[in-house]
């Protein structure tokens, strides 16, 4: 710890939040690179405009019929979208353990709202 | 004239890099600039462009916030408090999407953004700065439950601040969330001025906190598009990879920029966004 002004070392919860965000983006990036490479290897031109395709849930429910590139890209983008959700859950758990029930309750409320939005979207 | 795949790839990558850099420096997701490039430049259908925009916002937010959280510039307690309002707004916006035209919202956006740009350009005389030197583990009581402090590398000083007018901030966060759900943007163009001008959060902390928040808002909307099969996978993947690269570059640039430069840059971009949205609303009729 420094005596004067200077960069501080990150408290534990901030560090875990940093790891969740960083980990989510890294996992997503790897899957996306793999997916694009598979698509390029299999089809040549990958950036064609086309109408909307099947929903992500349909792709995974019929995974045996989907090509590897599609699955990798879907997984990569879903991992990306899930990263902020996991971040909120980590904050809720972290504040609970730190004895900050007010902020923990706020975090779990936000998590519930996110789950609600997913449910409303699927319906 | 058809755009070749190689040209598309290049446009998408550079658009992503630019979006990521904007996010790192200004605390916005960049969707408000990315979507017109996709629609006007590449002919992507609007609903697919919105999906790309939302996931790009998530990418920008996650990549940049991971650094800001470590540095302490992102105020996590303030962000999670405001996220209740943005999440509610995003849900309300998503449910209302079928009843309001995008044209009406784009015109409203263009009108509302201009006063914010003027205020941002002028800046403020000061903010609620409390004497520095308090422990980051036990912030001084004068900072309040949502106040915080961070080390500003550009000035070499510790900056402490207290959050004011939280209820006004919550109201604007709700509106920003609603617009995110309707237009596919992160809402940072509203949240950053609100945090800085109304809640009196220093500009760098306002940008970092907004960037931290917009990922949650955009993720809520993105799941809806996954469910409808409206995410163009290869397009989105290419833009997202560009965004991640741009975010890394932007984080390096941001450390060396003074708060005043960030503020004025944001004001200029707000005016550009306003003109662009007015063009879409009045001329394109989208």
């Amino acid at each position: 710890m420094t005596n004067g002004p200077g960069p501080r070392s990150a408290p534990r919860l901030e560090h875990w939040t940093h790891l969740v965000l960083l980990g989510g983006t890294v996992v997503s990036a790897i899957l996306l690179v793999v997916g694009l490479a598979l698509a390029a290897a299999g089809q040549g031109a990958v950036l064609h405009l086309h109408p909307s395709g099947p929903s992500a849930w349909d792709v995974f429910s019929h995974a045996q019929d989907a090509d590897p590139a599609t699955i990798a890209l879907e997984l990569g983008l879903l991992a990306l979208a899930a990263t902020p959700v996991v971040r909120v859950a980590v904050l809720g758990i972290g504040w609970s353990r730190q004895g900050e029930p007010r902020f923990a309750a706020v975090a779990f409320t936000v998590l519930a709202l996110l789950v609600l939005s997913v449910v409303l979207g699927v319906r | 004239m058809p755009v070749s795949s190689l040209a598309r790839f290049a446009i998408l990558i550079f658009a992503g890099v630019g979006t990521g850099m904007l996010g790192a420096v200004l605390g916005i997701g960049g969707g408000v600039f990315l979507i017109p490039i996709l629609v006007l430049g590449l002919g992507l259908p609007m609903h697919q462009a919105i999906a790309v925009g939302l996931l790009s916002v998530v990418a920008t937010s996650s990549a940049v916030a991971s650094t800001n959280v470590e540095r302490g510039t992102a105020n996590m307690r303030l962000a999670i408090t405001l996220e209740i309002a943005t999440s509610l707004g995003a849900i309300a916006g998503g449910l209302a999407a079928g009843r309001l035209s995008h044209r009406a919202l784009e015109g409203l956006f263009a009108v509302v953004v201009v006063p914010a740009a003027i205020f941002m350009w002028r800046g403020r005389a000061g903010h609620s700065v409390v004497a520095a030197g308090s422990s980051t583990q036990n912030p001084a009581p004068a900072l309040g439950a949502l106040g915080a402090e961070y080390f500003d590398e550009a000035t070499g000083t510790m900056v402490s601040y207290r959050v004011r007018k939280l209820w006004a901030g919550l109201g604007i966060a709700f509106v920003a969330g609603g617009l995110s759900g309707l237009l596919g943007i992160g809402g940072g163009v509203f949240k950053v001025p609100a945090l800085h001008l109304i809640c009196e959060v220093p500009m760098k902390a306002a940008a970092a906190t907004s960037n931290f928040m917009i990922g949650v808002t955009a993720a809520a909307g993105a799941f809806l598009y996954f469910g409808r099969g409206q995410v163009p996978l290869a397009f989105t993947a290419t833009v997202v990879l560009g965004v991640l690269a741009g975010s890394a570059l932007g984080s390096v640039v941001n450390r060396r920029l003074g708060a005043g430069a960030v503020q004025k840059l944001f004001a200029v971009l707000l005016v550009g966004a306003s003109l662009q949205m007015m063009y879409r609303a009045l001329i394109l009729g989208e």
Side-chain angles (χ1 to χ4, degrees):
Chain A
M1 180 179 295
T2 58
N3 291 324
R8 64 177 180 85
S9 58
R12 192 176 181 82
L13 183 57
E14 279 85 344
H15 184 64
W16 276 106
T17 305
H18 157 75
L19 289 178
V20 165
L21 293 171
L22 184 63
T25 54
V26 168
V27 167
S28 172
I30 290 173
L31 286 168
L32 294 180
V33 169
V34 168
L36 284 177
L38 287 173
Q43 299 175 13
V46 301
L47 296 174
H48 285 153
L49 294 175
H50 53 80
S52 299
S55 73
W57 329 125
D58 288 338
V59 168
F60 293 123
S61 62
H62 298 93
Q64 67 278 10
D65 300 325
D67 60 275
T70 297
I71 291 180
L73 291 175
E74 289 277 15
L75 280 175
L77 293 174
L78 281 171
L80 181 68
T83 298
V85 182
V86 174
R87 182 268 280 170
V88 173
V90 165
L91 285 177
I93 294 169
W95 279 321
S96 291
R97 298 184 68 175
Q98 285 181 356
E100 296 191 61
R102 181 168 50 172
F103 287 110
V106 171
F108 290 129
T109 301
V110 173
L111 194 61
L113 288 172
L114 286 171
V115 171
L116 175 63
S117 73
V118 174
V119 170
L120 289 173
V122 171
R123 281 178 53 189
Chain B
M1 178 178 298
V3 181
S4 70
S5 287
L6 190 59
R8 269 196 205 120
F9 182 81
I11 291 170
L12 289 171
I13 282 288
F14 282 113
V17 169
T19 298
M21 290 189 72
L22 278 176
V25 174
L26 298 175
I28 63 174
V32 70
F33 302 104
L34 179 65
I35 290 172
I37 294 175
L38 297 173
V39 174
L40 302 176
L42 296 176
L44 202 65
M46 186 63 183
H47 56 283
Q48 292 189 12
I50 290 173
V52 177
L54 286 172
L55 285 162
S56 298
V57 169
V58 176
T60 305
S61 173
S62 299
V64 177
S66 68
T67 303
N68 289 335
V69 162
E70 278 272 38
R71 290 193 193 134
T73 48
N75 187 331
M76 297 198 302
R77 287 171 177 77
L78 176 60
I80 201 72
T81 302
L82 294 175
E83 277 172 10
I84 291 182
T86 61
S87 300
L88 281 170
I91 291 172
L95 292 173
R99 300 181 180 184
L100 289 173
S101 70
H102 278 245
R103 190 175 178 179
L105 286 169
E106 287 159 10
L108 178 63
F109 175 90
V111 171
V112 168
V113 156
V114 172
I118 294 172
F119 283 125
M120 290 295 289
W121 182 265
R122 284 181 176 174
R124 286 178 64 92
H127 46 262
S128 300
V129 175
V130 179
S134 56
S135 163
T136 56
Q137 297 291 344
N138 296 295
L143 292 179
L146 295 177
E149 59 183 6
Y150 65 94
F151 179 74
D152 189 337
E153 292 187 18
T155 59
T157 58
M158 288 295 291
V159 178
S160 302
Y161 62 93
R162 186 185 176 92
V163 177
R164 304 282 187 191
K165 300 175 187 169
L166 179 63
W167 287 106
L170 284 166
I172 293 174
F174 178 82
V175 171
L179 289 174
S180 177
L182 284 161
L183 294 177
I185 61 176
V189 289
F190 294 108
K191 293 172 188 172
V192 175
L195 284 172
H196 180 57
L197 301 174
I198 297 174
C199 298
E200 301 187 23
V201 176
M203 186 59 190
K204 277 201 168 181
T209 304
S210 168
N211 182 275
F212 187 72
M213 291 166 54
I214 56 177
V216 166
T217 313
F223 285 119
L224 302 178
Y225 288 84
F226 275 115
R228 294 195 289 261
Q230 290 175 329
V231 179
L233 299 179
F235 272 79
T236 310
T238 306
V239 172
V240 164
L241 290 173
V243 164
L244 294 178
S247 298
L249 288 171
S251 291
V252 174
V253 170
N254 191 32
R255 270 184 256 174
R256 285 146 181 84
L257 275 181
V262 173
Q263 205 163 311
K264 291 201 183 300
L265 177 61
F266 193 73
V268 170
L269 287 171
L270 274 181
V271 172
S274 172
L275 292 173
Q276 165 229 307
M277 295 297 274
M278 186 63 75
Y279 172 77
R280 277 166 53 171
L282 295 180
I283 307 299
L284 295 184
E286 287 285 331

